[in-house]
């Protein structure tokens, strides 16, 4: 039962991302005649720290990659939708098992797909300022951390949310 429920949740998330990208692509193609469009690929590494008493407080390398489209409205303003993959790594501390059942001293791998829709402002050619909303979906994590009764606290809560909305 849980497996089919998780698969359904994953299919809904993938469907949402596909629909979002389809709508963005259609929007970009219909306005291409009026504005210039640039497409790109990006990749990089970061050092992350997941804070809190349940984690060891150390920095670990993470990886990110994605594709973006830049729709220029003028020489100073543009819209930049993206589709990104991010991997975050952390290690649980001994206190993790006092809050969530099990998994002390374990490496945690979190894999997210995120869709930021950014408004860009270029005051000078060498500087861009980007701001906008982002939807992130946690599509996989270390085994057990997102399953009912495994990696949960006494209230049945998982240590990581499946999705989030944030400002970039």
């Amino acid at each position: 039962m849980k497996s089919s429920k998780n698969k359904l949740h994953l299919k809904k998330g993938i469907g949402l991302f596909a629909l979002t990208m389809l709508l963005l692509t259609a929007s970009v193609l219909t306005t291409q005649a009026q504005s210039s469009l640039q497409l790109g690929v990006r990749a990089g590494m970061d050092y992350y720290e997941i804070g809190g008493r349940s984690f060891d407080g150390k920095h670990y390398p993470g990886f990110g990659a994605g594709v973006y489209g830049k729709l220029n409205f003028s020489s100073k303003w543009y819209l930049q939708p993206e589709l990104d993959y991010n991997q975050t790594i952390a290690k649980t501390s001994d206190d993790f098992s006092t809050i969530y059942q099990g998994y002390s001293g374990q490496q945690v791998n979190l894999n997210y797909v995120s869709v930021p829709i950014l408004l860009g402002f270029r005051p000078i050619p060498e500087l861009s300022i980007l701001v906008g909303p982002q939807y992130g979906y946690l599509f996989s994590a270390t085994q057990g951390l997102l399953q009912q009764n495994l990696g949960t606290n006494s209230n049945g809560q998982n240590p990581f949310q499946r999705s989030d909305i944030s400002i970039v």
Side-chain angles (χ1 to χ4, degrees), residues 152-163:
T152 59
N153 67 13
S154 59
N155 296 327
Q157 298 170 322
N158 290 319
F160 303 102
Q161 299 276 334
R162 276 277 186 195
S163 62

Side-chain angles (χ1 to χ4, degrees), residues 34-146:
Q34 300 168 0
S35 305
S36 68
L37 171 66
Q38 299 170 340
L39 299 175
V41 178
R42 61 186 197 92
M45 287 187 65
D46 287 313
Y47 281 94
Y48 289 95
E49 174 191 349
I50 296 180
R53 73 178 197 184
S54 300
F55 295 93
D56 67 0
K58 295 181 181 175
H59 289 80
Y60 292 93
F63 173 76
V67 295
Y68 67 90
K70 187 186 287 187
L71 181 62
N72 295 304
F73 298 117
S74 69
S75 63
K76 298 215 182 268
W77 292 95
Y78 59 94
L79 184 67
Q80 183 170 310
E82 300 180 8
L83 179 61
D84 299 328
Y85 163 81
N86 298 295
Q87 179 187 55
T88 303
I89 299 172
K91 190 171 183 179
T92 59
S93 71
D94 292 337
D95 287 338
F96 192 84
S97 64
T98 62
I99 301 170
Y100 300 99
Q101 299 167 2
Y103 305 103
S104 290
Q106 179 179 0
Q107 180 172 313
V108 176
N109 296 323
L110 305 172
N111 298 298
Y112 287 90
V113 172
S114 57
V115 180
I117 309 293
L118 306 173
L119 179 63
F121 175 65
R122 215 177 293 118
I124 58 174
E126 296 80 18
L127 176 67
S128 291
I129 300 168
L130 297 158
V131 67
Q134 172 178 283
Y135 173 76
Y137 181 76
L138 176 61
F139 68 89
S140 74
T142 300
Q143 182 66 30
L145 290 176
L146 295 173

